[in-house]
Amino acid sequence: MHYQTESWGSYIPATTMTVGGDPLERIERLASESAVVIFSMSTCCMCHAIKRLFCGMGVNPTVHELDEDPIRGKDMEKALMRLLGNSSTAAVLPVVFIGGKLVGSMDRVMASHISGTLVPLLKDAGALWL
Amino acid sequence: MENMSSSSTQFATSRQMGIYEPFRQVSMWKDTFGGDNLSYTGASTIGEVDAKLENKFELVSHESVQPSGNDEEGNKSSDKAQRRLAQNREAARKSRLRKKAYVQQLETSRLKLAQLEQELERSRKQGLYVGSPLGTSHVGFSGTVNSGIMAFEMEYGHWVEEQHKQNCELRNALQAHAADIQLRMLVESALNHYYSLFRMKADAAKADVFYLVSGIWRTSAERFFLWIGGFRPSELLTVLLPQIEPLTDQQVLDVGNLQHSSQQAEDALSQGIDKLQQSLAHTMAADPMSGDTYGSQMAAAVEKLDELESFVSQADHLREQTLRRMSSILTTHQAARGLLALGEYFRRLRALSSLWAARPCEPV
């Protein structure tokens, strides 16, 4: 698992990042950069559980800790909330994207795994090879 | 309708007077139906018959029980009358016994209530806050009263009874080699019954998540197996699998996948809960010397408890998904056998708890 961290001390505009950009666009861009993308909060234990789930399956997800992005984190969290149709910020995170497409929160991921649809999804996205 | 109410008042009076109740009831019906105010043709016939019998009763009850030998028809009807009378006596006797039992029950409950009130008073004197005595009987772990939890405890009691009933029906149906259609209905009811428990638990978690997670609402043996407020999905499969053989090749594959995925999900949630415990402990163990962080420490801790609620929710969600997936893999007959085994398993755990509680205490 590798973490995408922004170092605000030495800002390197390596990609087409715009500080004032649309959070939803940013989410979609980040989501399409890897096979499995998790938007998380470093202090959130449910996020920890979902990371353990993917690691246990042999998947290597890209994790974006929104609380470690002081400027855009909050906006992204709100954008994700709207995307999921949640009415409150309570337990929006973790949010999982596979193959650039939104899967959802812990309950959707678990339901998908139990029903057997998660593994084919991961294979299609190239996150699993067995 | 007017007649009905008047007869019921009369009924109440006669009970107080201790007269043979069924006897009075017979005359009531006559009063109700014998009159002209009801255009109910059937009733008037009953009224006529009852009128005749009532006359016989009055005759027999006031005189010695000797049928007159001359009139044969008189003999037959007085025989009937005597039988009726004996039946009435019997019914009245049973009624008196029932009343006695009920009164005894009330007396016992009254004593128990007095005892509980005494204990409550004692606890209150010792400084434990147990809330107002008016109609509140639940004392939670924290010592405060919680109506949501009281409601849950009652509902759960009913749930267990209903579960037992459903299990008996399942067993009977399987033993009688019932048709698949009938089994299907029973399977659906049983599954829905489990799903309804998860909904009940969701409400209880909002009221007091600690209560749910402590397992105090379950028996002691069940509590031993408690995992995030309920049974483990892997435990579910352990109980079901021996009962559902033989399996087709596809079923073997599907069940294997289900075991695998549910175990992974279970492990993930376990690790999440462990992290939550660590995190909460860390928060609670913060520098004891800095008194001004106490408030923020507590606030942080309370936020963690919200997370506990979401873990309980996810755990129940996993239980439900596992049940649903299992029922989609199995045939109706297999599902029936599996559900019977599951219900029986929990019943045995409860029985074990009772046995254990009743074991003789060794002298110190």
Side-chain angles (χ1 to χ4, degrees):
Chain A
M1 163 160 53
H2 59 280
Y3 287 80
Q4 204 97 316
T5 49
E6 324 286 0
S7 51
W8 295 103
S10 49
Y11 180 61
I12 302 164
T15 60
T16 56
M17 293 189 297
T18 44
V19 175
D22 177 36
L24 196 60
E25 256 179 48
R26 182 168 165 73
I27 290 169
E28 282 171 359
R29 192 172 50 77
L30 290 172
S32 50
E33 279 176 2
S34 317
V36 180
V37 175
I38 305 178
F39 291 97
S40 157
M41 193 90 88
S42 61
T43 54
C44 164
C45 298
M46 195 57 79
C47 301
H48 180 78
I50 218 171
K51 292 171 207 164
R52 300 313 312 159
L53 179 61
F54 281 110
C55 291
M57 293 168 67
V59 174
N60 191 22
T62 304
V63 180
H64 297 280
E65 303 285 8
L66 295 185
D67 56 333
E68 287 169 5
D69 186 340
I71 296 180
R72 290 168 300 199
K74 272 285 160 197
D75 292 334
M76 285 168 71
E77 201 183 323
K78 284 198 199 118
L80 283 167
M81 195 176 100
R82 280 195 299 273
L83 205 59
L84 287 174
N86 272 26
S87 50
S88 71
T89 42
V92 168
L93 302 171
V95 179
V96 175
F97 286 78
I98 299 178
K101 296 204 205 75
L102 175 67
V103 173
S105 253
M106 179 56 123
D107 52 350
R108 295 292 299 280
V109 170
M110 270 198 329
S112 166
H113 195 27
I114 296 296
S115 64
T117 56
L118 187 63
V119 167
L121 207 61
L122 288 166
K123 284 188 180 163
D124 283 346
L128 271 181
W129 291 281
L130 293 155
Chain B
M1 272 310 170
E2 226 177 76
N3 252 2
M4 296 293 246
S5 54
S6 65
S7 54
S8 57
T9 358
Q10 284 177 308
F11 197 40
T13 329
S14 72
R15 190 182 268 146
Q16 286 160 15
M17 286 158 68
I19 302 171
Y20 290 142
E21 289 141 64
F23 169 66
R24 295 306 291 174
Q25 188 173 26
V26 168
S27 60
M28 290 317 142
W29 288 126
K30 177 234 157 195
D31 288 337
T32 311
F33 292 115
D36 293 323
N37 28 10
L38 283 177
S39 56
Y40 180 51
T41 46
S44 52
T45 324
I46 297 169
E48 281 165 21
V49 170
D50 279 355
K52 271 197 216 146
L53 286 172
E54 201 215 17
N55 294 335
K56 293 293 169 198
F57 286 163
E58 289 194 1
L59 198 69
V60 177
S61 64
H62 291 313
E63 297 170 8
S64 59
V65 188
Q66 285 285 355
S68 56
N70 307 335
D71 193 22
E72 197 174 293
E73 205 193 62
N75 267 349
K76 277 200 202 133
S77 19
S78 75
D79 274 344
K80 263 194 222 158
Q82 278 188 65
R83 261 206 299 281
R84 259 299 198 110
L85 197 63
Q87 278 173 1
N88 278 352
R89 271 201 290 269
E90 189 53 37
R93 192 180 72 87
K94 285 202 182 119
S95 188
R96 281 197 300 277
L97 283 172
R98 276 201 302 274
K99 182 175 176 180
K100 190 171 175 196
Y102 179 64
V103 169
Q104 269 176 349
Q105 233 182 19
L106 282 177
E107 289 288 307
T108 326
S109 300
R110 209 168 61 81
L111 275 168
K112 184 127 197 261
L113 187 63
Q115 272 174 357
L116 283 172
E117 278 179 346
Q118 260 186 347
E119 274 181 47
L120 214 57
E121 200 54 56
R122 245 177 271 138
S123 309
R124 202 175 282 123
K125 288 210 172 86
Q126 287 171 22
L128 298 168
Y129 168 59
V130 289
S132 99
L134 295 164
T136 51
S137 59
H138 172 74
V139 179
F141 253 29
S142 60
T144 54
V145 173
N146 194 319
S147 62
I149 296 301
M150 275 169 64
F152 174 76
E153 280 192 337
M154 243 175 37
E155 273 184 63
Y156 181 64
H158 295 320
W159 188 91
V160 171
E161 280 171 23
E162 180 60 30
Q163 232 252 322
H164 185 65
K165 250 186 251 166
Q166 286 186 356
N167 238 36
C168 291
E169 279 175 23
L170 259 175
R171 183 183 289 112
N172 293 338
L174 282 168
Q175 280 173 349
H177 304 288
D180 259 20
I181 305 171
Q182 198 191 345
L183 280 179
R184 188 76 239 158
M185 264 175 21
L186 293 173
V187 164
E188 289 299 314
S189 302
L191 286 171
N192 286 329
H193 196 56
Y194 280 110
Y195 305 153
S196 75
L197 178 61
F198 300 139
R199 284 195 293 278
M200 279 161 56
K201 285 170 73 182
D203 290 336
K206 286 197 195 80
D208 183 357
V209 70
F210 276 137
Y211 170 86
L212 214 54
V213 161
S214 73
I216 198 84
W217 53 287
R218 302 193 89 147
T219 63
S220 39
E222 289 175 296
R223 231 174 284 148
F224 178 58
F225 290 99
L226 207 74
W227 175 78
I228 316 185
F231 61 83
R232 285 176 183 273
S234 50
E235 187 185 340
L236 171 79
L237 295 174
T238 308
V239 172
L240 289 182
L241 286 179
Q243 302 302 319
I244 57 178
E245 313 256 315
L247 297 168
T248 66
D249 287 343
Q250 184 60 49
Q251 283 182 325
V252 169
L253 195 65
D254 289 338
V255 168
N257 284 336
L258 180 58
Q259 274 184 301
H260 197 53
S261 59
S262 65
Q263 189 65 60
Q264 282 174 332
E266 203 179 299
D267 291 342
L269 286 179
S270 292
Q271 291 181 67
I273 275 271
D274 286 347
K275 174 114 197 290
L276 185 59
Q277 272 188 344
Q278 278 173 35
S279 169
L280 186 58
H282 191 74
T283 310
M284 293 283 98
D287 186 5
M289 298 305 278
S290 53
D292 52 12
T293 60
Y294 182 83
S296 55
Q297 198 183 39
M298 283 299 158
V302 169
E303 267 183 49
K304 296 266 163 246
L305 298 185
D306 285 337
E307 283 210 75
L308 183 58
E309 205 186 305
S310 48
F311 271 100
V312 173
S313 165
Q314 292 300 337
D316 275 346
H317 184 66
L318 180 60
R319 289 175 192 117
E320 183 166 337
Q321 291 303 312
T322 309
L323 271 172
R324 283 187 191 275
R325 176 65 181 154
M326 201 55 172
S327 72
S328 73
I329 296 173
L330 301 179
T331 65
T332 304
H333 202 267
Q334 286 170 325
R337 297 202 307 268
L339 284 166
L340 177 63
L342 192 63
E344 190 54 27
Y345 172 77
F346 289 122
R347 195 192 63 80
R348 285 176 194 166
L349 280 179
R350 282 180 225 121
L352 178 63
S353 306
S354 300
L355 274 174
W356 179 252
R359 79 196 186 286
C361 287
E362 283 163 17
V364 175

